Structure formats: C-alpha cells, structure tokens
Amino acid sequence: MNYPGKGLVDGLAVTARNFVGSYFYTDRLTTVQYPEERVQTPENSRTFPFLVFDESPDKPRCTACKICEVECPPKCIYIVMDRDEKGKPRQQPKIFDIDISVCMQCQICVEVCPFESIKMDNDYEKSRYGRFNELMLRLPDLLKSNEYYRQIKPTEAAAVDAKLKAEAEAKAAKKAAAAAVAAAKAAASPPATPPPASPKPPEGSAA
Amino acid sequence: MITAPIANMTGKIETQTLEVSIGPQHPSTHGVFRMDVVLDGEIVRALKPVIGYLHRNHEQLAEKMAWLHSMPYTDRLDYFNSMTNNWAYALAVEKLAGIKVPERAEYIRVIMAELSRLQNHASAIGFLLQDCGAWGTPLLYAFREREKILDFFETVSGSRMMCNYLRFGGVRVDLDEPMLAMAREIVAKFPKFLDEFEKLMTTNEVVLARCQRVGILPKELAIAGSISGPVARASGVEYDLRKVDQYGVYGRFEFGVPVGPVGDVYDRYYIRVLEMREALKILQQALRDIPAGPAQAPEVKLRGFKIPAGDGYGRVEGPKGELGFYLVSDGGPKPYRYHVRPPSFINITVLEDMCLGHKVADAIIILGSIDIVLGEVDR
Amino acid sequence: MEKIYQLLHALLPSVPVWTVWIAAFLIPIGFIFGVYLTIFAFTTLVERKALGRIQNRYGPNRVGPFGILQPMADGLKILLKEDIVPRAADKFSHFLAPVLIVVPGLLVYLVVPVAPGMVAVDLKIGVLFALAVGTVSVIALFMAGWASRNKFSLLGAMRAVAQVVSYEVPTVMAGVAVIMAAGTLSTLTIVERQGGGILNISNWYVFRPWGLVGFVLFVIGGLAESARCPFDLPEAESELIGGYHTEYSGFKFALFQMGEYLAGMAMAGVTVTLFLGGYMGPGSGPGLVGGLISMFWFFGKLTGMIALNIWIRGTWPRLRVDQLMGFAWKVLLPLALVNIVAVGLWHFLTPRPVAWVVTTGWLAIWVVVLTKCNAGAALEKREYRYI
C-alpha cells in the first residue's frame, strides 16, 4: 500500500525502533564508557614492540644482531652492541631505542628476528605530554619478562616457548651426540702416547 | 553616474560570478581536498579539484625499500581497504616472480577482500547520507556494522585498519576455527542491518528528491575517462575485474555484478547496496568451501627476496574501482620503478563534468557519491 | 493578567492599586521567562540525548547525573568566549540582530494559554498577533547577514529569508482554517471551543478532516520557519558557504541558537493551541485542581510536539533550496487553499455525517491530484541488471 510520504514514515519507524531498542538491547546501544569500561582487545592485537627476557632483565634474548634495525621499513630502531672491557662484543644490546612516533606497527621486526626476542605489545595508551623525548622508548622501557608475554598473548607465547625449548633440546642433543662421537673416537683410536720425559725422542712413534 | 544603469536596464541584467574555494578543511570533503568552484548565483559554472594535500611520496619511498617493506605502506594508500591494497601489490609481485599461491590462502584472500568491500560500502553510503543532511543517523548505523568487521580484522591480523596481512605467496596468519566462526556470524547478521538501512533511506522521499537525476555520468564519458568501480557500473559500463580477470579463485563463486541504468547519485548509492548483498553471497560460499592446507607458499624468503628482471601489472577490483600496481624489476632486492594506479584519482577527473549545471549542495553529494579517499588520490 | 490582578487585589486589599498592577504585570512575564527559558535549556539537552539514543549511543552523560548540568556547562562556556566583531561590520545592526531574533520568539508566548483564563495577555486578535510577531525574526536574519559585510553571509541570509517567507503563507492559511471554524481570533476562545465532547478530546480540531490537513501543514510550516530539519538549510549553510551567523561568536551566537529553539517551541505552542486543544484534556476545568491538570496537559502536548521535532531531525536528510521552495509554493499552498474551502463545506453542510463524508472526499481528491502533479520525488522504476 503506497501512500504519499510512505518512505518518510518508514524512516521514522526505523528510528523509533532504534530509540526504544537502545534501552533494552545492547546491540542497539554499543557505547563503551571509556575509561571506566574497556574493550578487551583480541590476543593478536598489536601496537608497539617490546623486548623479551627470560630470567632477569640483564639477560634479554636479544643478541643485538641488528636484523630488525635493517628490516624496519621506517627505520625507527637504533641498536648499539654492548662491549666488555676489552672491546669484545657481548651479544647484548647496550642501546636499543625505538621511536614510537615513527614506528608504523607493521610487525616486520617480529617476523625477521631469529631469536624470538622482539614481540608486539598490545598497550595502546601511549599518549605523553612531550613530543620528542617522551615518545622514544629506550632499553629499560622495552624490556619485559616472558611472564608478561605469556599473559598478554598466551597461545603465541606457548608456541614460542615450545619452539625455543625444542631448539634448546635439539642443540643439547646435538652437543651430546657430538660429545659422544668425540668420546667414541677418543676411545676407539690408539691413545696418543705422551712423549717420555727423556730428551731422546721415541723411535717409530705414530705421527 | 546615472546614465549607465539606465542604459543597462534595456539589456540583460549584469551578474557577476563568484569564486569559492570549498576546502581543504571541510566537514564534507572526505579528507583534505579542495574544490575551486565558480558559481553563478547558485549554479556551478566551473569546478577544479585541487589535490596534493596528502602527498606522502609513497612511490618514491617504495623504490628505496625492499619488496616486502612497502607492503605496510600499501595499507595506507586507501586506508579504508588495506586488505585490497595488499592484494593488488602481492598479485603484481607474484606475477613478476612466478610464485604460486596455495588454495587456502586464495580463499582467505577472497574472504578478506569481500569483508573489506562490505565495510567500505557501508561507510561510503553512511557518509553520502551524512552529506545529504541526515544528522549522523545513517552514518552511525553503518559504522555499528563496520565495527564488527574491524574487530574481526583485529582478531586476525592484529590491527583494525592497517592490517599488513598479505604476503607474497599467501597470508601472514592462518585462520583458525574461532576466527572462521566469527566471520560466519558477521555474515549472518549483516542482511538485517541492510534491510533496516534500506527501509530508512532507499524510499525516503527527501533522499529521492536530493539524489535522483543529480550528477548523471554518461556511459561514453565513463569509458573515455577510464572510470572504474561502482561509479562506472552505475552508468551502465559492464566491467568488473572479478568477472573479467577472474584473479584468485573468483571464478569458482556464483555471484552477480549489478549494473545501473542511469548513473546519477541515487544509482551509485543503490549499486553499492546491491554490491553489498552480492558480497554476502560470495562470503557465504567462501566460508563454506574453504579447504585445508598451508597459508603461505613455503619457498618465499622473508629477507633478501629478489625478483628476476621484468615488468608486470597486477590489478584487483577494489571497492572504489580498479586498483593496479605496475612494477619494474631489475633483478635486485628493490623495485626499479613502482607505480600505483589509484581508482579515486582517476574517478575525480570527471567531477567537473558531473557537477556542471547543478547547484552547490549537489556538488557536495556528487563528490560523496564517487567515494574518494585522499590517501589514494595523493599517495 | 486580568485574572491575576483581580486575584491579588482581592487577597491584598490594602496594597495600593499601582503596586498590584505592576505585580500582575510582572508575574506572567516572570512565568514566561522562567518556564520557557528553562524548557529551552533542557530541550537542548534532551535533544542531544534523544538523538544519541536514536543513533545507538549515549548523549551527554558526564556533566552531572544523566548530563543534567550540561546546559549550564554550555551556557558558561559560551559566556566566556571572546566576542569578535568584524572591523568592517555595521556595528549597530550587528549588535541588534541577535536580540531581534530572540525577542519575537518570546513575545509569541504572551498569547498562548496554559490553563483556563491563564494567558498573559488576552488579546482579541491573539492568533494574528502570534503569527505576525513570529515573522519579525525574518528581519533579524537579514540584518545579521547584511551587517556582517560578508558576501557569503549575505547569500545565506537571503536564502534563509526566502525560506521563511515562503513557508509563512501556507502556515497562515492553515491557521485561517481554524479561525474560520472557531469564528474568533482570540486564542483563549479557540481553546475553549475545543473543550467538551468525549473526555475533552474529541472536539480537538486535529480530529476533523480539515483539521488534520491543517495540522500537517502547520507542523511543516513551523519546522520551516524555525529552520529545523528537514529545512535546516540556513543552519547547515555552514557546511557549504557560510550561514547568516558566520561572523558571530560568543554570546551572540548563543542568542541565535536560543532564537531558533524558542521560535520552534513557540510554533509548537501555537500548534498545540490551534489544533491540539491547548490545555483541554480529561479533567481540565476552572479552579485550582482543574487548572493544574490543564497545565499538565498543555505542557505534555508541548513536550510531544518538541519530541516530534527531535524525531524528525534524527531521521530525514535536508532538502535543497529550490526543492524547498517548490514544495512550499506548489504543494503546500494549494493544499492550504483547498483546506479553507473544506472548512467552509464543513460549516455549511448541516447533517454531520454528510459534512464528514463530503469534506474528507474533497480533501482526499485534492491530495491525490497534488501528489500526481508533483511527482518529482517519486521512486522511478529502474531496472538493475546483473552481469
């Protein structure tokens, strides 16, 4: 039944249904009163990177290999390797800066890291009052424990832990196998006779 | 002196044209966009779009970075549909490098692209009606549905809009059962919103009076101007890359592509509504038929990825039109030349022809009906 | 005012007459200022909350419980803003225009009765006064646009003036129908004529065929005159070029908004008086209790009309200027003239059922004819093919 103005009245009916429904159904009132209520972000949600350490912040998983610095598209990471007193590299970062006003949250640094040491955080409340120094995250700000990682991303952390454990086991097994092979070789081959104390060299000893 | 006006009174009344600059800060121009309009009273006599306020040097940046590194930058081109942009770039690279994509990854790509189309069209018609003057109501209904799709994107890829989800040879993260269930729920609930929205707006007399017979784009002009996407299809051009190229696995799905008769603002609005319904059909089929398998081709390296020398053009049917990437490789880790064919940029070129003879208020809705996004226009 | 004067004089015989006279003068004015300005303040809040609920969100709810103190916050904010006057502007007109917009809106309330005998001024030409004074704000619109020395403001102002003036005509014609039926221009008498009948409701003019058409015309005209959606082109001019209130800031801008809302509520009040029976409802009558019940009915109906305004604002988009004018001159004005003929038929056809049938038939025929002639906004039959 088509009367003039029917489209207008239909529109009013839809609006009225939404108005009344907003008092009874939550899918007609989708507001979340931030900051008193917060939406639970999904597990995969990513904002800015952080560095994982296993036992203590002095021993992060990061070895300062600089792969993430090279692969970062907007070049927001700056790493300087730690060196000990003699100048030998210590396989740990001394300086690890991420400028989060430049970081585009692309997650490529996470994908290319061979040591599972840089992961994505899901903390989005990063507003600061200053523009320059405060938006630069330095090494102490970035280091967070593996417990924290397990808390924010359980499945991913479990997978990473399993992988690291498997790698460690494989390495240990290989080392044990190599040691066993070396020991077997040492046992099988004739013992290398130590030279006698006399200055006279033994005759015919195997070279 | 008094003689001049009397002399003019015997002839025509002299009027002056008014030059107005609409934008770049404006609630209704969908981004930083300026239009220099020459008005004769209320009627538009000339219109010149002025762009470049959002130029971020995307193409030159990509020529300095490795192939993979410009994938997150393609998210930011048409910032509403990051999945589609990623797919166009990945298609171009896969064509050049000869990478074969596994089946499951193709189905996932189709699901993501069609969901992207749904949320883009919802927001486009919401904004169009907001420009018409409905104070926020259709916009917020459309955004209520869009939020569910964006939540799904966040669950899958980690970010709502800048997904960075596709990789050469597949997708970055595989979809598991809870994610597929979430997608199925979105698809199940969407038709109800579409029905309610249509009841609110499609037969509304005010919308009809504002949008019918306004901003007609003739079919010949659409073809001559390389217009693509819903704008061209509303004018009667029967061209949809999903049917023409059948890239990905689109050849396996049964869906229609609506083509409109007249090509005015109302047609462009209604074609988008019909396309949303067709996208729901594709999604139902894809979610039903998705096979098991790997989600990424294993031979693609993450670091040090090189492509043999050559050039290639990869294009997809984005929600705004044909989005294409032209890549020239010299065998190294970086592109030699990287060019984007943005649909919004090419669709704006006919804005003046559509607006001539109409009033200023119409110029705003015509711009809204082309559905531009400045990230794409300016790159 | 007369009744209050009598009442006060009877209660306090020893007080000199001129004091009583001044008191009787000030009390209704105080009532108007107090009640209607408070209703205005809370209408702004209720509108935002209702629009929010329509759009699936909360309205303001931070300032005070349920956002009740939001109007105070808005008022305080706007008082503290800097008042910028352009250097080349015509200072006197620039200052006078916002004042001139608010005053006529308030003046209309003088003739709107809220209870039996309770009208601020019982004019014998009440309806004429209300409609005429309501139109004075047109001058203020144009003054605002002209005094700003800004060609965009001038364009916007001219458009707004054209809109208001062209919607005056069908509005007044619709009012003429009521005047013909009631036989008087006095608002108090019109409301009294709508009493009686079943529960004091069935005699409302909106339940007559010509009254229904007149009511629709008056509501549409009222929306257009106070520049509310779907006719808010002057307000939304700010989107395109610049409305008549571009060059105003601070409290003068607030006065423009107040003028718009007050005009809207005034038109709602006049609509209630002419068509919806004013204060008539079950239980309204003279005396204290009857008077209070009448006030309850009047303000209830006023709230209903304001709610209708807000509902319409949340739903429909706005019309373009030429469509707006076409609608007024090509559809509403013929309908208003036809309505006047309908009232005449109603009055002179003696058996009531015959009058009902003939009047309804006459109006229905003309509505159909006018819709067919102005089929510009009909949905065209279009074929969408699929490839």
Side-chain angles (χ1 to χ4, degrees), chain C residues 100-130:
Chain C
L100 212 55
I101 280 216
V102 170
V103 170
L106 283 173
L107 279 177
V108 174
Y109 295 118
L110 286 175
V111 294
V112 169
V114 297
M118 297 272 283
V119 63
V121 182
D122 187 10
L123 287 177
K124 295 243 179 358
I125 50 159
V127 178
L128 176 64
F129 176 79

Side-chain angles (χ1 to χ4, degrees), chain C residues 2 18 54 57 60 74 77 102 132 186 188 304 312 314 341 356 367:
Chain C
E2 285 297 321
W18 60 271
I54 290 177
R57 57 183 174 91
D74 284 338
K77 170 200 84 164
V102 170
S186 155
L188 206 50
I312 291 180
V341 175
W356 271 93
V367 166

Side-chain angles (χ1 to χ4, degrees), chain A residues 8 18 46 71 106-107 111, chain B residues 69 141 157 164 167 172:
Chain A
L8 299 173
N18 267 292
R46 61 177 200 260
E71 295 287 323
C106 64
Q107 211 186 27
E111 289 174 53
Chain B
H69 294 173
Y141 291 166
S157 76
N164 190 18
R167 292 278 178 268
R172 176 162 56 87

